[in-house]
Amino acid sequence: MLQYKKYYMPQSLEELFRFLDNFQGTFDIIAGGTDRFAGEKDPSKKAELGVDISNIAFFSRTDVEEDRLLMGANTRIQDFLTNRTLVDCAPILRHSAIYFADQQIREMATLGGNLANASPTGDMIPPLLALDGTVHTVMWDGNGVQGREIPMGQFIKGVGKTMLQRGELISFVSCPILKGYGCAFKKVGQRRSLCISTVNSAFLVKTDPAGKRFEDVRIAFGGVAPVPVRVTEVEDALHGAPITRQAIFDALERIPQEMVQSRSRREYRKRVIRNFILAGLYESLAELGVQPQ
């Protein structure tokens, strides 16, 4: 169980920022707190105060505005499997949620926590990167509550590092609602059950109306570098290409040699990238009822 010297559960955004503005010690912002269990045995990672925002409705919104999906920071991972709006508007997140720990953890873990933890292999991160997601934040600047928008590709700065400043919180994440895409999520780890990813990846594929050519391809990986990456070289090679086995294999040759920046198991990760791209593209096309010729 999580233990803090002090614990505080504000009931509104105003109450939260009023408290943080006057607090000078170390604190964790938690809603589910599942990522904090890993640091329980390391005193150096222990904050003095746990601030639980799970009762603040502002962080729990799920909404559709025009052609964008809005997902509050407190959105539980299990919601991506059960909430009809989330399932319909962002099916790639359903694919990744299926592989996210087990239901007990998914009922606690939140979207905001998975992003703010900034693990190189956070399972919700590659899908949001492939979706061109945007992280929306809030903070108190002394005069009132201010917000900013950070593109997903810029939000994570390194292992455990984000663009968030002290007292700045993720309010929600938005992404375009992409219709007519097939998708896939691939991950591999060191065990079969409750697998923590070594490498994970997300794929979004759209074809022309005839199902003969690639109209749009999006590929994102986690666990191969300190920050998640889009494989734009392969995406560009497939854009407008015929949906054939040869075109796909030709595109694999465009995988950057320097893509893997991890310090361990580099050759293994290179093989995983190639195999995942091949499998991810085929699975995404299969969702659309298309088979490469």
Side-chain angles (χ1 to χ4, degrees):
M1 92 192 295
L2 285 175
Q3 295 181 341
Y4 290 97
K5 292 181 179 179
K6 300 177 182 178
Y7 178 80
Y8 180 59
M9 180 180 277
Q11 302 299 306
S12 69
L13 194 63
E14 293 74 15
E15 182 185 346
L16 167 67
F17 283 122
R18 193 163 53 242
F19 177 85
L20 293 180
D21 195 42
N22 294 309
F23 185 74
Q24 300 301 316
T26 59
F27 60 87
D28 287 334
I29 300 294
I30 59 174
T34 55
D35 280 327
R36 288 290 175 254
F37 283 99
E40 279 292 282
K41 296 181 180 180
D42 186 348
S44 67
K45 297 181 180 179
K46 192 70 173 179
E48 178 183 354
L49 170 71
V51 181
D52 189 339
I53 64 171
S54 58
N55 276 0
I56 301 178
F58 176 81
F59 296 108
S60 301
R61 65 188 300 195
T62 298
D63 203 359
V64 174
E65 291 187 356
E66 296 181 353
D67 60 349
R68 294 189 71 82
L69 174 65
L70 279 56
M71 303 163 284
N74 283 351
T75 302
R76 307 292 168 171
I77 303 303
Q78 184 67 15
D79 291 341
F80 291 102
L81 301 176
T82 59
N83 183 300
R84 180 47 54 186
T85 298
L86 297 175
V87 171
D88 290 344
C89 295
I92 182 61
L93 295 173
R94 175 179 61 84
H95 281 258
S96 58
I98 290 171
Y99 292 98
F100 194 105
D102 62 9
Q103 183 172 349
Q104 184 178 19
I105 295 175
R106 289 195 298 266
E107 293 281 4
M108 293 287 293
T110 64
L111 178 64
N114 197 243
L115 295 182
N117 191 50
S119 166
T121 55
D123 282 337
M124 308 308 287
I125 295 174
L128 289 171
L129 182 60
L131 284 166
D132 288 329
T134 300
V135 180
H136 302 255
T137 71
V138 288
M139 67 182 303
W140 179 265
D141 70 353
N143 297 311
V145 176
Q146 303 295 327
R148 62 172 174 153
E149 301 178 357
I150 307 171
M152 189 63 216
Q154 301 174 18
F155 179 72
I156 295 177
K157 308 302 291 182
V159 179
K161 300 177 180 178
T162 71
M163 291 282 287
L164 293 174
Q165 304 172 24
R166 178 183 170 88
E168 185 177 20
L169 288 76
I170 298 172
S171 55
F172 64 95
V173 181
S174 70
C175 66
I177 298 173
L178 302 179
K179 298 293 186 179
Y181 281 74
C183 52
F185 179 80
K186 309 292 291 180
K187 68 182 287 185
V188 66
Q190 296 183 356
R191 59 188 186 189
R192 295 175 64 88
S193 178
L194 298 180
C195 171
I196 298 175
S197 298
T198 299
V199 177
N200 54 14
S201 55
F203 302 84
L204 289 163
V205 173
K206 187 176 184 180
T207 72
D208 67 353
K212 299 298 183 181
R213 290 185 175 274
F214 288 102
E215 187 172 290
D216 189 21
V217 176
R218 299 161 180 234
I219 303 170
F221 271 84
V224 299
V227 298
V229 294
R230 284 277 293 269
V231 194
T232 55
E233 294 83 356
V234 175
E235 295 176 356
D236 293 343
L238 289 173
H239 184 79
I243 301 176
T244 63
R245 296 182 181 90
Q246 188 60 52
I248 292 173
F249 277 102
D250 288 346
L252 293 178
E253 300 306 314
R254 301 287 296 274
I255 299 172
Q257 291 297 313
E258 68 279 6
M259 181 174 166
V260 176
Q261 298 178 28
S262 300
R263 290 179 293 180
S264 63
R265 307 184 73 185
R266 293 174 63 90
E267 292 304 315
Y268 168 77
R269 283 180 164 84
K270 289 179 180 180
R271 291 196 301 272
V272 168
I273 289 171
R274 185 180 179 89
N275 291 336
F276 273 10
I277 291 178
L278 184 62
L281 291 174
Y282 270 71
E283 288 182 23
S284 299
L285 288 168
E287 272 204 348
L288 299 173
V290 176
Q291 183 174 358
Q293 300 302 307

